[in-house]
């Protein structure tokens, strides 16, 4: 869109969809609009004024630059617009969130000759927090030259008046409940994967909430109309809210429908949603709620019943018996008391909600989101340094927990190493609030456009020098290169490339487009076991360092500042004993871990919201990632893999060599970001080989929330995560907690489609697939599929390695379709034949945003998601179900068209080494 006439055409098209004009972010269109404003007799002048005032995106968009300059002209009297006074022009600048608006305000303060205008500009600047190095340098230079207004500004920043002068949080917030679902609620309900293409168009994307369920949307609107003075609180009854991913677009949608307007001059950006769940909010989704200054409440309105001895009472099926402590049925009016930190109903206190209203979270609410607090603290620190004064205590004191005589867990060690701003020399334990420097940041392609918008909103234009590497993937849109992808992805890649990230696609087209799964790339470019990684996806869970899945905004914040802020999480230690049977896959160990943990703790998920410190010892990073990746489904906040020195060296050497391949493909940037990683990898390998700095381990006297010992002897057959779609208790469906042995299905359950792919598989899985096909042909004389098998390798590196080792040739022999990068698919496949499909590296079916199985199918998959509608939708006759298992089970299920028996399974994997995992014989402690 470049001209006003184009905009009018688009406005009519959007009107037909029930949408308002799209917010303006381009300079050419806004320049047209300004020309029409200046022309008193222009027929479009009135509309142009409204568009200029109310419909321009702020920050560093090119439109924001044009708007700022025009407002400067008005303030200086160089342009006259009767409807925009000097005072109103300053007000508009105050809502533009940095970037060019800050430049204009500083110009008016430092370069202008009119002292009154300079004072007005200074008053606006005192309210701003999104100032960067170049802005501060201008102020500091003026201060050193004796400019009194610059001194006044720095003193205001030192006192954090941009925060202290904001209105206090309301003491009482009245809410009315709306139950969005019973059981765990996936973020897919709030922002479906199939609508990923529209996430950056907030109004359009808002139409997809509740998976386009108009009845639910109308119920929500009716509730708002009935209670205009209250906020709607979205509830997951008998479940956890926001499982599956961080998904900023999900929070944005909830805020759009139930939240508070961020600014009258910025359309469709709402903040402060109120979200709740019987079992609270998924950890990474809760972080996203904080980004918007929202409130996330752990209701605990249903509790497990205990007998006289304190044991959980179970029903005939062995499930805990729950008792309702209080009702939150749709339409229930409740009061959140932010002072007492309690939830009330008719003046009766129902629940202490202090964890939802900690001092830090109250600051997020007051400031309208966590960004303003993070940037505010940084600005205050810099101003005090320039003035040579101590930092006044304005923000809530960070909680620092230090327990004398107690050692550190692995995550505590990493946070202590990377912490900034805490008491020097103080050893911090779990529960401490810590600001940490981030080493690696990853952005994926279906949230990347939102991340780029967030970067524009916070006026950032280059990746922080603190960050070792940033990567922008193309994996979530790998399956189908359709018109939506062609419109969105090149624009995203150019933005991120210009910002300083390594990008999967080269905007200049100099290297082959890479659609590698982001988590696999991040796992390869993490070259330090002490690293902190932030990534725009819940499966950002590396087997080196500690990685946190995050919303698009937190990713933007990490890219812009090189920092993240969070409490040090508690840890649960997982170790192993016994021996694996030869026919078991490591994926079975992963599922058994979840099953045995729930059994050991009588149904309590001790992993939820905590770090899983898994002592894998001898398993290299590629294979170990299968465990750390699945910890998202265990509802853990993150995971850490404890390795032996030799194993870590091997993992780092593989990572280094793969980074070198990226360099040889031409993917490094001007700052040689990838070469810097190789240098760091070599340095870390040297430390390990010389013993200067061994692999990360916890202290022997570290304390854990719980310790889980997994008995490998108990794993006698393949383990399958079942969505249990027909469970009479709705809350027990689609939870990832129903883990069943293969024999449960008796070799009779029909399988309609198999999928080997996603971040859960590695090169070894592809080799297992090739060997199984050869085995089956040797046993039966041919390979015949009775159900389709979709195969999507995670990365191009793996494809290249398979080709070099002869395995890709085997897969080609049995395939009926092979991806062609020179002619990628332009349409999503809707029907499948009984053959093997070799798909382009990437997420494929696991993502659910481009291709799905046929409605009503029973899918056997290696992927991570079994949520309703994610991989397969329901049909009119049957619920779609996605069962999750190991590669051998998936492959054999498609050959047979049903689940195999144990005898069939053992025969098919005979002679194949599925995993070399054995419990470490060393004490992996410091």
């Amino acid at each position: 869109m470049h001209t006003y006439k184009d905009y009018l055409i688009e406005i009519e098209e959007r009107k037909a969809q029930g949408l308002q004009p799209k917010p303006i972010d381009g300079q050419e269109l806004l320049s047209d609009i300004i020309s029409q404003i200046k022309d008193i007799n222009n027929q479009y002048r009135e509309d142009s004024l409204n568009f200029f005032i109310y419909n321009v995106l702020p920050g560093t968009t090119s439109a924001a630059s044009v708007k700022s300059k025009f407002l400067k002209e008005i303030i200086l009297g160089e342009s006259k617009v009767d409807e925009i006074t000097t005072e109103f022009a300053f007000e508009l600048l105050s809502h533009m969130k940095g970037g060019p608006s800050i430049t204009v305000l500083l110009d008016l303060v430092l370069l202008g000759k009119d002292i009154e205008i300079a004072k007005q500009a200074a008053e606006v600047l005192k309210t701003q927090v999104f100032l960067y190095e170049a802005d501060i340098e201008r102020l500091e230079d003026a201060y050193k030259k004796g400019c009194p207004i610059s001194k006044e500004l720095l003193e205001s920043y030192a006192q954090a008046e941009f925060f202290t002068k904001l209105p206090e949080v309301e003491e009482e917030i009245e809410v009315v409940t709306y139950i969005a679902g019973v059981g765990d609620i996936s973020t897919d309900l709030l922002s479906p994967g199939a609508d990923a293409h529209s996430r950056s168009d907030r109004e359009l994307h808002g139409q997809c909430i509740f998976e386009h369920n108009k009845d639910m949307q109308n119920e929500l609107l009716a509730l708002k109309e009935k209670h205009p003075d209250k906020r709607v609180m979205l509830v997951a009854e008998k479940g956890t809210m926001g499982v599956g991913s961080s998904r900023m677009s999900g929070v944005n949608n909830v805020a759009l429908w139930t939240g508070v307007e961020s600014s009258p001059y910025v359309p469709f950006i709402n903040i402060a949603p109120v979200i709740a769940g019987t079992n609270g909010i998924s950890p990474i989704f809760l972080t996203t709620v904080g980004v918007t200054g929202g409130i996330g409440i752990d209701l605990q309105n249903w509790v497990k019943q205990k007998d006289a001895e304190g044991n959980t009472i179970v029903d005939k099926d062995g499930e805990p018996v729950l008792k309702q402590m209080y009702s939150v049925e749709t339409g229930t009016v409740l009061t959140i008391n932010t002072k007492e930190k309690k939830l009330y109903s008719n003046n009766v206190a129902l629940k202490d909600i202090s964890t939802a209203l900690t001092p830090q979270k109250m600051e997020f609410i007051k400031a309208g989101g966590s960004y303003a607090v993070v940037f505010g603290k940084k600005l205050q620190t810099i101003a005090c340094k320039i003035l040579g004064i101590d930092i006044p205590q304005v923000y809530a004191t960070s909680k620092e927990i230090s327990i004398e005589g107690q050692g550190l867990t692995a995550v505590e060690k990493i946070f202590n190493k990377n912490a900034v701003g805490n008491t020097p020399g103080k050893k911090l334990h779990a529960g401490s609030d810590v600001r940490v420097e981030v080493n690696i940041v990853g952005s994926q392609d279906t949230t990347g456009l939102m991340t780029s918008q967030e970067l524009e909103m916070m006026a950032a234009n280059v990746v922080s020098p603190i960050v070792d590497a940033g990567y922008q993937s193309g994996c979530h849109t790998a399956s189908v290169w359709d018109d939506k992808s062609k419109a969105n992805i090149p624009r995203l890649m150019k933005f991120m490339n210009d910002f300083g990230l390594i990008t999967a696609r080269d905007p200049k087209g100099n290297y082959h487009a890479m659609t590698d799964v982001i988590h696999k790339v991040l796992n390869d470019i993490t070259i330090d076991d002490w690293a902190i990684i932030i990534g725009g996806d819940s499966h950002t869970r590396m087997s080196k360092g500690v990685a946190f899945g995050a919303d698009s905004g937190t990713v933007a914040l990490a890219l812009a500042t090189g920092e993240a802020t969070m409490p040090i999480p508690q840890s649960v230690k997982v170790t192993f004993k016994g021996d694996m049977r030869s026919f078991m896959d490591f994926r079975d160990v992963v599922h058994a871990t979840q099953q045995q943990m729930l059994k050991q703790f009588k149904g309590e998920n001790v992993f939820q919201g905590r770090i899983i410190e898994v002592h894998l010892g001898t398993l290299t990073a590629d294979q170990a990632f299968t465990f750390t990746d699945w910890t998202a489904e265990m509802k853990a906040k993150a995971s850490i893999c404890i390795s032996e020195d030799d194993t870590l060296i091997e993992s780092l050497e593989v990572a280094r060599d793969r980074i070198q391949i990226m360099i040889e493909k031409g993917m490094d940037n001007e700052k040689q970001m990838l070469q810097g990683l190789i240098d760091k990898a070599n340095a870390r390998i040297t430390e390990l080989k010389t013993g200067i700095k061994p692999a990360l381990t916890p202290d022997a006297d570290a304390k854990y929330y719980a310790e889980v010992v997994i008995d490998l002897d108990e794993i006698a057959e393949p383990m399958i995560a079942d969505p249990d779609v027909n469970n009479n208790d709705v809350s027990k469906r689609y939870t990832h907690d129903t883990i069943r042995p293969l024999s449960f299905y008796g070799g009779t359950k029909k399988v309609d489609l198999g999928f080997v792919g996603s971040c859960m598989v590695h090169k070894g899985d592809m080799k297992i697939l090739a060997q199984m096909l050869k085995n089956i042909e040797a046993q039966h004389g041919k390979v015949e599929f009775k159900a389709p098998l979709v195969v999507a390798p995670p990365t191009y590196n793996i494809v290249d390695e398979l080709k070099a080792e002869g395995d890709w040739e085997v897969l080609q022999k049995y395939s009926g379709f092979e991806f062609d990068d020179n002619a990628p698919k332009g349409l999503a496949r809707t029907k499948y034949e009984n053959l093997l499909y070799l798909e382009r590296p990437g997420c494929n079916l696991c993502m659910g945003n481009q291709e799905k199985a046929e409605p009503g199918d029973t899918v056997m998959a290696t992927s991570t998601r079994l949520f309703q509608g994610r991989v397969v939708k329901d049909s009119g006759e049957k619920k779609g179900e996605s069962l999750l298992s190991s590669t051998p089970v998936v492959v054999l299920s498609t050959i047979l068209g049903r689940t195999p028996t144990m005898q069939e399974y053992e025969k098919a994997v005979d002679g194949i080494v599925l995993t070399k995992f054995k419990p470490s014989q060393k004490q992996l402690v410091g």
Side-chain angles (χ1 to χ4, degrees):
M1 181 192 309
H2 299 293
T3 67
Y4 189 73
K5 288 184 178 178
D6 293 333
Y7 193 45
L8 292 180
I9 293 170
E10 186 195 65
I11 286 171
E12 291 304 312
E13 291 171 349
R14 290 175 70 87
K15 192 181 293 183
Q17 301 176 62
L19 300 172
Q20 300 297 312
K22 193 173 182 179
I24 299 165
D25 61 2
Q27 61 182 357
E28 292 180 57
L29 172 58
L30 195 62
S31 295
D32 274 2
I33 285 171
I34 290 172
S35 296
Q36 290 168 179
I37 292 172
K38 291 179 177 180
D39 180 1
I40 299 297
N41 298 315
N42 192 284
Q43 62 175 320
Y44 300 117
R45 186 175 184 277
E46 185 177 348
D47 285 344
S48 295
L49 260 171
N50 283 327
F51 291 143
F52 178 83
I53 293 169
Y54 299 106
N55 212 44
V56 177
L57 289 180
T60 55
T61 65
S62 60
S65 180
V66 172
K67 183 172 182 175
S68 299
K69 289 174 183 175
F70 187 48
L71 290 172
K72 181 182 179 183
E73 290 177 17
I74 292 171
I75 290 167
L76 294 176
E78 297 168 359
S79 290
K80 180 172 172 56
V81 179
D82 290 340
E83 294 86 349
I84 303 177
T85 62
T86 298
E87 288 72 21
F88 189 32
F90 274 121
E91 183 180 354
L92 290 174
L93 282 169
S94 74
H95 287 259
M96 292 187 67
K97 288 192 169 184
S101 63
I102 297 294
T103 300
V104 163
L105 289 166
L106 285 171
D107 286 347
L108 295 172
V109 168
L110 303 177
L111 304 179
K113 296 187 169 60
D114 189 317
I115 190 63
E116 288 305 315
I117 287 177
K119 285 180 178 179
Q120 284 179 279
E123 289 306 308
V124 175
L125 275 170
K126 288 177 184 178
T127 68
Q128 305 297 297
V129 294
F130 294 110
L131 276 74
Y132 286 86
E133 284 77 5
D135 305 317
I136 298 298
E137 284 172 8
R138 290 186 69 186
L139 269 180
E140 183 177 12
D141 185 59
Y143 166 69
K144 288 177 178 177
K145 291 177 180 176
C147 172
I149 296 185
S150 64
K151 181 184 179 184
E152 182 184 326
L153 275 169
L154 288 169
E155 288 173 342
S156 175
Y157 293 150
Q159 297 298 324
E161 291 182 342
F162 43 73
F163 176 75
T164 60
K165 291 189 175 182
L166 292 172
E168 295 300 322
V169 178
E170 305 163 79
E171 185 173 328
E172 291 188 341
I173 300 172
E174 280 201 305
V175 298
V176 58
T177 62
Y178 182 73
I179 294 179
V182 178
D184 288 353
I185 290 181
S186 162
T187 48
D188 266 1
L189 181 74
L190 309 177
S191 169
D195 291 88
H197 63 277
S198 66
R199 286 176 183 163
S200 58
D201 185 345
R202 293 198 185 201
E203 187 195 14
L204 173 59
H205 194 68
Q207 294 190 334
C208 75
I209 195 171
F210 307 138
E211 295 182 319
H212 297 275
N213 187 319
K214 296 299 179 186
D215 290 338
M216 291 181 69
Q217 292 175 5
N218 289 332
E219 287 170 5
L220 186 58
L221 291 174
L223 203 60
K224 288 174 66 177
E225 189 175 349
K226 185 178 178 181
H227 300 275
D229 57 335
K230 300 175 182 64
R231 309 250 288 276
V232 175
M233 180 170 78
L234 219 61
V235 178
E237 177 76 314
K238 291 186 180 179
T240 303
M241 176 66 82
V243 299
S245 66
S246 49
R247 204 156 295 187
M248 187 79 207
S249 54
V251 172
N252 285 345
N253 276 352
V254 177
L256 189 65
W257 284 79
T258 68
V260 177
E261 187 179 60
S262 173
S263 165
Y265 309 114
V266 183
F268 312 121
I269 297 180
N270 285 9
I271 58 173
V274 183
I275 301 174
T278 292
N279 299 326
I281 318 294
S282 177
I284 54 175
F285 194 62
L286 186 58
T287 300
T288 316
V289 174
V291 168
T292 60
I295 301 173
I297 299 176
D298 185 1
L299 292 171
Q300 297 179 346
N301 57 313
W302 291 87
V303 298
K304 295 174 185 173
Q305 293 302 283
K306 306 282 185 179
D307 60 21
E309 284 74 41
N311 299 313
T312 300
I313 301 171
V314 297
D315 60 20
K316 58 183 178 58
D317 298 319
E319 297 291 345
V321 175
L322 302 178
K323 178 182 178 182
Q324 188 180 52
M325 304 306 291
Y326 59 94
S327 173
V328 291
E329 67 177 341
T330 295
T332 303
V333 174
L334 302 170
T335 301
I336 296 169
N337 189 302
T338 62
K339 186 176 181 180
E340 297 178 18
K341 305 189 188 309
K342 290 180 179 178
L343 185 67
Y344 279 90
S345 175
N346 295 322
N347 297 318
V348 176
L350 302 176
K351 177 81 174 59
D352 180 284
I353 54 171
S354 54
T355 55
L357 300 168
T358 63
Q360 286 73 24
K361 289 178 181 178
M362 288 291 286
E363 289 175 344
F364 295 166
I365 297 167
K366 177 178 177 176
S370 58
Y371 297 167
V373 174
V374 172
F375 274 86
K377 288 180 178 179
K378 197 165 187 176
L379 182 56
Q380 183 192 28
T381 301
I382 293 170
C384 289
K385 184 178 180 181
I386 293 171
L387 294 171
I389 62 174
D390 292 334
I391 302 172
Q393 191 64 53
V394 170
Y395 292 100
T397 305
S398 293
K399 191 193 309 182
E400 293 188 339
I401 299 173
S402 185
I403 303 169
E404 189 69 31
Q406 180 176 309
L408 298 175
T409 64
V411 74
E412 288 169 341
K413 285 189 174 183
I414 292 177
F415 270 63
N416 274 274
K417 174 187 178 292
N418 293 282
V420 290
N422 57 299
T423 303
K426 191 170 186 179
K427 185 168 69 173
L428 302 178
H429 287 91
S432 300
D433 296 311
V434 183
R435 205 167 96 236
V436 290
E437 292 186 349
V438 175
N439 303 92
I440 306 290
V441 185
S443 169
Q444 51 100 330
D445 38 327
T446 53
T447 59
L449 284 169
M450 294 172 59
T451 299
S452 65
Q453 282 186 336
E454 299 288 347
L455 288 167
E456 287 178 329
M457 292 285 199
M458 59 180 72
N461 54 28
V462 66
V463 64
S464 168
I466 295 172
V467 175
D468 291 335
Y471 180 76
Q472 172 62 58
S473 82
C475 55
H476 286 61
T477 52
S479 300
V480 185
W481 192 236
D482 56 15
D483 290 341
K484 293 169 183 174
S485 299
K486 290 173 185 175
N488 290 332
I489 303 306
R491 180 161 51 99
L492 168 64
M493 294 295 168
K494 184 180 187 311
F495 179 95
M496 290 301 191
N497 200 280
D498 290 345
F499 198 80
L501 279 71
I502 304 299
T503 53
R505 290 178 180 271
D506 181 8
K508 300 181 181 67
N510 292 331
Y511 56 81
H512 183 280
M514 309 295 285
T515 56
D516 297 350
V517 175
I518 182 173
H519 324 302
K520 292 296 190 182
V521 177
L522 295 184
N523 203 41
D524 282 341
I525 67 174
T526 299
I527 41 72
D528 186 358
D529 47 325
W530 291 78
I532 293 179
I533 305 98
I534 298 289
D537 194 286
S538 60
H539 288 96
T540 305
R541 290 158 188 269
M542 305 303 101
S543 47
K544 303 184 290 287
V546 63
F548 298 94
D551 58 275
S552 55
T554 301
V555 170
L557 197 62
L559 285 171
T561 66
E563 295 182 2
T565 303
M566 67 185 88
I568 301 178
Q570 292 176 310
S571 294
V572 176
K573 183 178 181 179
V574 175
T575 55
F576 302 89
K577 68 177 182 178
D579 296 302
M580 286 191 70
R581 290 164 173 80
S582 62
F583 52 81
M584 301 311 302
D585 186 86
F586 186 65
R587 177 72 181 250
D588 302 316
V589 176
V590 173
H591 286 180
T593 298
Q594 192 159 348
Q595 182 193 54
Q596 291 188 28
M597 175 274 294
L598 290 169
K599 183 179 177 181
Q600 288 175 34
F601 290 88
K602 297 181 172 61
E604 178 193 353
N605 184 355
V606 297
F607 292 153
Q608 184 163 347
R610 300 183 178 92
I611 301 290
I612 298 177
E613 184 182 287
V614 56
H615 290 233
L616 289 174
T618 59
L619 208 58
T620 55
D622 269 9
Q623 296 172 313
F625 186 79
T626 304
F627 190 102
T628 55
D629 196 28
W630 183 258
T631 59
E633 274 53 67
M634 296 175 183
K635 298 182 184 176
K637 188 172 181 66
S639 60
I640 290 182
C641 178
I642 305 300
S643 296
E644 294 182 6
D645 286 357
D646 289 344
T647 305
L648 181 58
I649 290 169
E650 183 180 349
S651 295
L652 292 176
E653 287 175 342
V654 169
R656 177 195 62 195
D657 294 347
R658 288 180 176 168
I659 296 169
Q660 182 61 46
I661 290 170
M662 293 171 73
I663 293 174
E664 290 167 2
K665 287 179 178 177
M667 296 181 73
D668 211 352
N669 57 19
E670 290 181 4
K671 293 186 177 180
Q672 294 191 304
M673 185 176 273
L674 294 177
Q675 183 58 51
L677 291 178
I678 286 182
D679 295 341
K680 288 181 171 67
N682 284 328
R684 183 69 185 110
I685 290 167
T686 299
E687 289 177 340
L688 289 160
K689 286 183 174 179
T690 58
I692 294 172
K693 187 178 180 183
L696 169 70
T697 55
D699 289 332
D701 55 350
K703 299 298 181 192
Y704 297 89
Y705 176 83
E707 296 192 30
V708 181
V709 180
I710 304 305
D711 189 349
L712 300 177
D713 291 329
E714 289 186 12
I715 312 171
E717 53 184 301
M719 310 296 287
I720 296 173
D722 193 319
D724 205 8
V725 299
N726 295 310
N727 194 312
N728 290 331
D729 185 344
V730 178
S731 70
K732 299 295 192 334
R733 301 175 189 170
Y734 308 104
T735 67
H736 287 93
D737 287 343
T738 303
I739 309 292
R740 289 172 169 154
L742 181 63
S743 59
F744 175 87
Y745 304 96
T748 61
K749 186 174 181 65
K750 186 174 184 290
V751 173
D752 300 298
L753 182 140
F755 174 53
V756 173
S758 88
C759 45
M760 285 294 284
V761 300
H762 51 86
K763 177 184 169 183
D765 289 276
M766 299 294 118
K767 295 182 79 69
I768 289 169
L769 166 59
Q771 187 59 51
M772 282 188 71
L773 294 175
K774 288 192 288 187
N775 274 15
I776 290 165
E777 182 177 45
Q779 293 166 8
H780 301 284
K782 63 177 180 177
V783 175
E784 184 178 349
F785 291 94
K786 292 185 179 176
L789 175 59
V790 178
V791 176
T795 68
Y796 280 92
N797 274 351
I798 288 174
V799 174
D800 292 341
E801 290 168 20
L802 292 172
K803 286 179 178 178
E805 295 164 18
D807 295 287
W808 191 256
E809 186 179 336
V810 177
L811 301 183
Q812 286 175 313
K813 174 183 174 181
Y814 298 106
S815 70
F817 170 87
E818 183 180 359
F819 73 91
D820 180 359
D821 280 329
N822 295 317
K825 280 183 297 180
L827 293 173
R829 185 179 286 114
T830 56
K831 294 286 183 182
Y832 297 83
E833 298 177 43
N834 291 344
L835 50 85
L836 189 155
Y837 295 85
L838 280 179
E839 295 285 357
R840 198 178 197 181
C843 299
N844 202 273
L845 287 169
C846 186
M847 181 57 193
N849 65 318
Q850 292 189 317
E851 292 194 314
K852 292 181 182 289
E854 294 183 42
D857 272 0
T858 292
V859 180
M860 188 71 76
T862 61
S863 60
T864 57
R865 298 305 198 212
L866 50 67
F867 301 121
Q868 187 173 20
R870 177 69 176 235
V871 172
V872 55
K873 291 183 177 180
D874 298 340
S875 69
E877 298 75 39
K878 180 181 175 295
K879 287 181 177 293
E881 51 185 336
S882 176
L883 287 80
L884 308 180
S885 63
S886 67
T887 292
V889 171
V890 173
V891 175
L892 193 52
S893 295
T894 59
I895 298 290
L896 300 171
R898 58 172 171 79
T899 53
T901 63
M902 273 303 296
Q903 184 179 13
E904 290 168 329
Y905 172 80
E906 288 186 56
K907 189 175 180 181
V909 300
D910 184 47
I912 302 175
V913 179
L914 299 178
T915 179
K916 294 181 179 178
F917 173 62
K918 291 181 180 179
S920 177
Q921 300 304 302
K922 299 180 179 179
Q923 289 292 314
L924 300 178
V925 293

